[in-house]
Amino acid sequence: RPTVNEAGASSKTVDYEQRRASSIQNQTQTAVHPNGTRQQLPQTIIIGVRKGGTRALIEMLSLHPGIAAAESEVHFFDWEDHFEKGLQWYASQMPFSYPHQITVEKTPAYFTSSKVPERIYKMNPATRLLLILRDPTERILSDYTQVFYNRLQKHKLYQPIETVLIKNGDINMDYKALNRSLYYIHMQNWLKYFPLSHIHVVDGNMLIKDPLPEMKRVEKFLNLSAEINASNFYFNKTKGFYCLRNHGRERCLHESKGRAHPQVASPILAKLYQFFHEPNRKFFQLIGRTFDWH
Ligand SMILES: Nc1ncnc2c1ncn2[C@@H]1O[C@H](COP(=O)(O)OS(=O)(=O)O)[C@@H](OP(=O)(O)O)[C@H]1O
């Protein structure tokens, strides 16, 4: 009797899918470099969430010698003009890697783009997905801060945070950043294609506070050998965040990571925390795990 995985697919289907995926991988193989490396489609993708800590996650994962990470966000599955270029183009955006290495890219917008789960599934149903989430209210403030700085740079006007968060005395449901924090809605789309066992949720709040245990869990999920260790991290008091140490070289993330958020009046904050209780509960139920959010 075929065994059934969490998505309901039989093991026979999975075998077929894996063969199909490896044939796609072979068809899109780019030229082999004389040193034995080549560009490969990612076997792992960090799908989001925007402002969840995706940069920190990919940089920390890159500490592992078994990982080859794309430097910039590729936006292959969510931008039509990129998607139309096809998988060969996608592969050509990847770093050169050795056959034993896992290629990874991060595009935080994937998590909230409804077309993306099916597209990744069709590329390779065996793709391992990493999703880093943080407290949904904190995520909104971080999202607002990002847009605020972008507009400031372009000398454009920006609205104070309270006016985007509240409309006619109530939570502004039209605010895009609010929708991005409704994790259960987006997660439902992913679970239509991928079983939970293929999606590892990283606790973004914990990655900030104490990155090592989170990274050890990621290593396990990706079946990587245990390489990342305490000496890879040190706390930088000036930045207020952990920074990375690799082969004696120390570096922190870019100054755009870890910016101060705007002060929000406490009744509004309380309203937001309250608002997210139910969506968070639904999310926890979906993934069978809880997080220490407000
Ligand atoms: N070690 C370390 N150093 C600096 N920043 C860290 C770190 N770990 C997690 N973070 C948090 O990452 C948040 C940015 O998330 P993303 O990289 O996903 O943002 S983006 O969507 O790619 O723009 C960023 O959000 P803000 O604090 O709002 O700037 C950080 O809180």
Side-chain angles (χ1 to χ4, degrees), residues 40-90:
Q40 300 188 76
L41 289 173
Q43 299 91 345
T44 292
I45 302 177
I46 298 174
I47 57 175
V49 61
R50 176 177 149 107
K51 306 318 288 180
T54 55
R55 175 53 61 191
L57 178 58
I58 200 165
E59 296 295 329
M60 290 175 184
L61 195 52
S62 301
L63 294 165
H64 198 290
I67 291 287
E71 265 176 38
S72 47
E73 294 176 10
V74 186
H75 285 279
F76 175 65
F77 297 103
D78 62 324
W79 287 358
E80 295 309 311
D81 53 335
H82 282 176
F83 191 66
E84 282 162 11
K85 294 181 188 186
L87 286 175
Q88 189 69 39
W89 177 85
Y90 187 38

Side-chain angles (χ1 to χ4, degrees), residues 49-56 60 73 106 108 134 142 146 207-208 239 241-242 253 256-259 261:
V49 61
R50 176 177 149 107
K51 306 318 288 180
T54 55
R55 175 53 61 191
M60 290 175 184
E73 294 176 10
K106 76 115 177 162
R134 70 199 279 196
S142 177
Q146 161 107 4
L207 195 83
I208 293 174
K239 184 153 178 81
F241 283 85
Y242 276 92
L253 296 199
S256 64
K257 306 291 178 181
R259 290 184 287 215
H261 296 169

